[in-house]
């Protein structure tokens, strides 16, 4: 009630019983300590398991949580000042996510518009003082205390959802690639000294699957087949065997028993650190969506369709890279002695940049996480029938699209990326395990100190194993060492 006695008025901290303050703070501290201990134990377990890339990903998660905590702190600290930033009611009638309810003439005359209805209701219940501060001037606050509170809750829910879904997606991808371990084991058990036979290029199963001699029609047929193949058997045994051999022949020709599966999984763990992060361009995309979430524009539908279409295009492109590898071999050879060898190249990728694929997957995962987090936040905060939620048909459609995108990315697209990303000119530092990489760096550092000569080749050899990708120079210098890798 708004009447006397202050029955409906919120009590400040100075008039709140101490046992309530102590109990609430204790619960918050206990929950925070439990969460911190769990992360600490998880980090120690990852280090004992020699999962350094995953440990670094965990540190990245802690950084994101610290950033979110700082954002929440800023919102809390500036809640009072922002509530006293008063603006004209006319500015609050444009770009609304919901259409304001119709008002009676008396309400319009005294309140100046629909935006004052909520303010009057808060004041009647003894609510936010900033509402009354602005109403005395005939204006409205720029952002109410309730809106600020809901906003930083949404940011926290978004970050947690993004991390959880990214972790689930990567774990699904790794589980899917576990089937490739058996292929790698069988390859390791084969006799490398078996006699080589001459076979016609069309006799290889890899060529038959991806290039059936379509000649002029190979581009159209190849793209259509690549699009549909991403939904079933995205990587076959012949695909894995052929691309594995192509990678070994290009980057570590002296070690035919190189364990390509272990290298691929280590590289995927390193990339996971990038996937769980929220970069500045993802925050920019979030701000753009919040700006365009206007009633009647149906932006939430497009924001779910665009990542799904992007995911299908990325999957088709990676499948088409396999087709291009087969086409290149079939065009250059009529008969081959021994095993079929493809030639990895950056030319197969968009803009000759294999890293661009990971960037697009990162954007897709963030957009899906945003859609799911936005849905649950609206469901809990406003209910399913709220105007900001949108029409039920659109809500269900975009939720189904987001779930399908996550499953498709985890089971199909991510395993494809795990192997296709190595079909470029360079290899990643994960080709060396941690001990070998550290030994190479120490050796190069000692050699540079002994010579005291700033040799560009030495500097390049020092940086390459610890960089994201190593170039052909370090690969040539360490060819004799690959057998120990």
């Amino acid at each position: 009630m708004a009447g006397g006695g202050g029955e409906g008025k919120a009590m400040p901290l100075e008039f709140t019983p101490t046992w309530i303050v102590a109990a609430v703070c204790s619960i918050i501290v206990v929950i925070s300590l439990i969460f911190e201990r769990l992360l600490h134990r998880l980090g120690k377990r990852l280090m004992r398991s020699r999962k350094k890339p995953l440990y670094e990903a965990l540190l990245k998660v802690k950084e994101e949580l610290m950033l979110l905590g700082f954002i929440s702190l800023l919102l809390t600290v500036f809640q009072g000042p922002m509530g006293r930033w008063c603006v004209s009611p006319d500015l609050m009638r444009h770009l609304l996510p919901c259409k304001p309810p119709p008002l009676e003439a008396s309400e319009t005359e005294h309140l100046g518009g629909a935006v004052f209805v909520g303010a009057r209701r808060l004041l009647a219940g003894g609510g936010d003082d900033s509402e009354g501060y602005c109403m005395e001037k005939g204006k409205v606050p720029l952002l109410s205390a309730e809106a600020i509170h809901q906003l930083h809750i949404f940011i926290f829910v978004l970050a947690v959802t993004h991390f959880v879904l990214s972790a689930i997606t990567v774990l699904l991808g790794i589980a899917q690639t576990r089937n490739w371990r058996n292929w790698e084991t069988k390859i390791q058990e084969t006799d490398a000294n078996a006699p080589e036979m001459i076979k016609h290029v069309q006799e290889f199963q890899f060529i038959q699957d991806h290039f059936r001699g379509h000649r002029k029609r190979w581009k159209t047929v190849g793209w259509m087949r690549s699009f549909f193949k991403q939904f079933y058997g995205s990587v076959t045994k012949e695909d894995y065997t052929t691309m594995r051999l192509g990678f070994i022949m290009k980057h570590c020709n002296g070690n035919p028993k190189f364990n390509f599966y272990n290298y691929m999984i280590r590289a995927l763990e390193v990339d996971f650190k990038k996937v769980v992060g929220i970069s500045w361009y993802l925050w920019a995309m979030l701000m753009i969506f919040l700006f365009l979430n206007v009633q009647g524009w149906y932006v939430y539908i497009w924001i779910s369709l665009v990542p799904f279409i992007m995911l299908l295009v990325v999957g088709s492109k990676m499948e088409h890279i396999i087709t291009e590898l087969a086409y290149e071999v079939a065009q250059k050879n009529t008969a081959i002695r021994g095993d079929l060898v493809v030639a990895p190249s950056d030319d197969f990728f968009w803009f000759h940049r294999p890293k661009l694929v990971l960037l697009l997957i990162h954007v897709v995962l963030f957009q899906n996480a945003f859609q799911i987090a936005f849905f649950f936040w609206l469901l809990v905060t406003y209910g399913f029938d709220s105007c900001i939620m949108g029409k039920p048909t659109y809500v269900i459609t975009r939720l189904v699209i987001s779930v399908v995108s996550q499953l498709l990315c985890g089971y199909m697209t991510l395993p494809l990326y795990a192997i296709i990303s190595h079909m470029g000119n360079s290899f990643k530092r994960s080709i060396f395990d941690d001990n070998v990489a550290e030994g190479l760096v120490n050796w190069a550092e000692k050699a540079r100190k002994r010579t005291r000569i700033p040799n560009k080749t030495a500097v390049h050899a020092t940086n390459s194993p610890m960089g994201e990708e190593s170039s052909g120079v370090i690969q040539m210098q360490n060819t004799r060492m690959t057998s120990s890798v």
Side-chain angles (χ1 to χ4, degrees), residues 27-205:
I27 293 174
I28 295 176
V29 170
V30 169
I31 294 176
S32 301
L33 289 177
I34 292 175
F35 183 71
E36 191 274 335
R37 286 289 93 189
L38 290 176
L39 292 179
H40 180 70
R41 289 184 177 273
L42 178 59
K44 293 179 65 176
R45 184 173 181 179
L46 292 175
M47 291 299 293
R48 287 197 301 265
S49 303
R50 297 181 180 273
K51 298 290 186 180
K52 186 177 180 181
L54 293 181
Y55 176 73
E56 294 177 352
L58 181 63
L59 296 180
K60 185 70 175 180
V61 172
K62 290 183 178 180
E63 292 178 4
E64 298 294 342
L65 292 177
M66 183 181 67
L67 175 62
L68 289 170
F70 186 71
I71 293 175
S72 298
L73 178 62
L74 289 179
L75 288 173
T76 303
V77 170
F78 290 101
Q79 177 175 323
M82 282 191 293
R84 293 180 177 271
W85 293 348
C86 304
V87 297
S88 173
D90 294 334
L91 296 177
M92 306 297 289
R93 297 192 181 99
H94 305 286
L95 300 177
L96 296 176
C98 288
K99 185 178 180 180
L103 298 176
E104 298 179 359
S106 59
E107 288 180 324
T108 305
E109 179 180 355
H110 292 289
L111 298 177
V115 293
F116 284 108
V117 177
R120 190 180 71 169
R121 183 168 60 250
L122 286 173
L123 287 174
D128 192 356
D129 294 338
S130 62
E131 305 283 356
Y133 175 81
C134 292
M135 286 187 64
E136 293 177 355
K137 300 181 179 182
K139 297 182 179 182
V140 293
L142 181 65
L143 202 62
S144 66
E146 182 182 2
I148 295 175
H149 176 68
Q150 294 173 350
L151 182 61
H152 70 69
I153 289 180
F154 167 67
I155 294 176
F156 177 79
V157 171
L158 173 63
V160 173
T161 305
H162 173 61
F163 166 69
V164 172
L165 293 181
S166 298
I168 292 176
T169 302
V170 172
L171 291 177
L172 289 175
I174 293 178
Q176 183 76 351
T177 57
R178 294 291 181 182
N179 299 328
W180 303 353
R181 177 186 292 177
N182 298 329
W183 302 341
E184 182 70 34
T185 302
K186 293 180 180 179
I187 293 174
Q188 297 291 337
E189 294 175 352
T190 57
D191 185 9
N193 298 322
E196 298 181 348
M197 299 179 60
I198 299 177
K199 297 174 60 176
H200 192 274
V201 68
Q202 293 294 336
E203 296 180 15
F204 289 93
Q205 187 64 38

Side-chain angles (χ1 to χ4, degrees), residues 210-228:
H210 295 279
F211 179 70
R212 303 177 184 273
H214 297 298
R215 303 298 176 183
K216 294 182 179 180
R217 296 189 300 113
W218 82 273
K219 290 186 178 181
T220 303
V221 176
W223 275 107
M224 291 180 59
R225 185 183 181 281
S226 299
F227 175 79
F228 290 105

Side-chain angles (χ1 to χ4, degrees), residues 350-398:
W350 285 314
F351 306 105
H352 310 289
R353 296 184 61 188
K355 290 183 179 180
L356 184 60
V357 177
L358 181 63
L359 175 63
L360 296 178
I361 293 177
H362 191 189
V363 172
V364 169
L365 290 176
F366 178 79
Q367 289 295 333
N368 287 335
F370 172 78
Q371 284 293 319
I372 296 176
F374 194 64
F375 169 78
F376 285 107
W377 176 70
L378 292 180
L379 183 65
V380 174
T381 305
Y382 300 102
F384 188 80
D385 297 328
S386 63
C387 61
I388 195 172
M389 180 72 80
K391 296 182 179 180
T393 304
Y394 293 157
V395 173
I396 296 175
T397 300
R398 74 173 187 259

Side-chain angles (χ1 to χ4, degrees), residues 60 106 129 182 247 285 307 417 420 426 480:
K60 185 70 175 180
S106 59
D129 294 338
N182 298 329
F247 176 86
M285 294 173 61
Y417 167 78
I420 297 299
S426 304
R480 297 181 180 179

